[in-house]
Amino acid sequence: MPEHQIIVEIDIEAPPERVFDAWTDPAQLAEWWGDDATYRTRDWSCDVRPGGRWHCHGTAGGKMEGPWEVGGEYTVVERPSRLGFTWVASWDGGRTTNVLVELAPAGSGTRLRLTHTGFATVEGREGHHEGWKKVLSWLDRYAAAGRMAR
């Protein structure tokens, strides 16, 4: 795996349209992105269009010290198959990296492939790699509970 990128894949038991909407609906994002043992997200804003901004705040829990915030700009919006955005986290010194979420039908659900690029160090990449695996597990649990908006 190149030093500057990570790729994480997961199969989710929900159609791509619902998975896409779970990534772009502020109410759903606040519901699934986080847990009490790690951290909670809140105050999501999403202007879902190329050039539109997204942002959220987080509260501490587990290893994450807080409060913190993360946001960026949407770079690709192709519902229901691709969502790209920049990633600027308060804990990362304002460094901008790029995330691409690709969704494809897979059986009765969706294959999600997340690519995050632009890391300056192996440590930064590895920390985000573990973080994205956790985030996608929360999304999978949210879908398995049947809580995605219809």
Side-chain angles (χ1 to χ4, degrees):
M1 181 181 323
E3 183 172 303
H4 66 283
Q5 77 172 1
I6 58 173
I7 297 171
V8 182
E9 290 186 345
I10 189 172
D11 288 337
I12 297 176
E13 277 303 314
E17 294 81 8
R18 288 193 191 148
V19 176
F20 187 94
D21 292 346
W23 276 92
T24 58
D25 174 10
Q28 288 191 73
L29 283 159
E31 212 176 311
W32 68 263
W33 195 312
D35 66 21
D36 292 337
T38 311
Y39 60 81
R40 283 282 176 201
T41 60
R42 67 184 192 324
D43 304 328
W44 280 90
S45 63
C46 301
D47 181 7
V48 186
R49 61 183 175 83
R53 309 281 308 163
W54 70 274
H55 186 264
C56 76
H57 291 94
T59 54
K63 292 195 280 186
M64 284 292 284
E65 295 182 19
W68 50 266
E69 54 188 271
V70 65
E73 182 176 300
Y74 291 104
T75 56
V76 176
V77 178
E78 297 172 5
R79 185 179 187 271
S81 60
R82 294 173 21 122
L83 183 67
F85 48 91
T86 59
W87 177 273
V88 183
S90 63
W91 67 86
D92 201 18
R95 180 173 179 77
T96 300
T97 55
N98 294 284
V99 177
L100 179 63
V101 177
E102 297 173 285
L103 308 169
S108 61
T110 300
R111 163 92 22 101
L112 185 153
R113 177 184 173 105
L114 182 142
T115 306
H116 193 161
T117 60
F119 298 103
T121 66
V122 171
E123 295 80 13
R125 184 200 71 202
E126 288 175 356
H128 279 83
H129 188 239
E130 292 307 309
W132 282 119
K133 288 193 296 188
K134 181 67 129 174
V135 168
L136 295 182
S137 75
W138 293 328
L139 178 60
D140 187 42
R141 181 177 62 204
Y142 181 67
R147 297 169 59 194
M148 285 187 175
R150 299 193 186 277

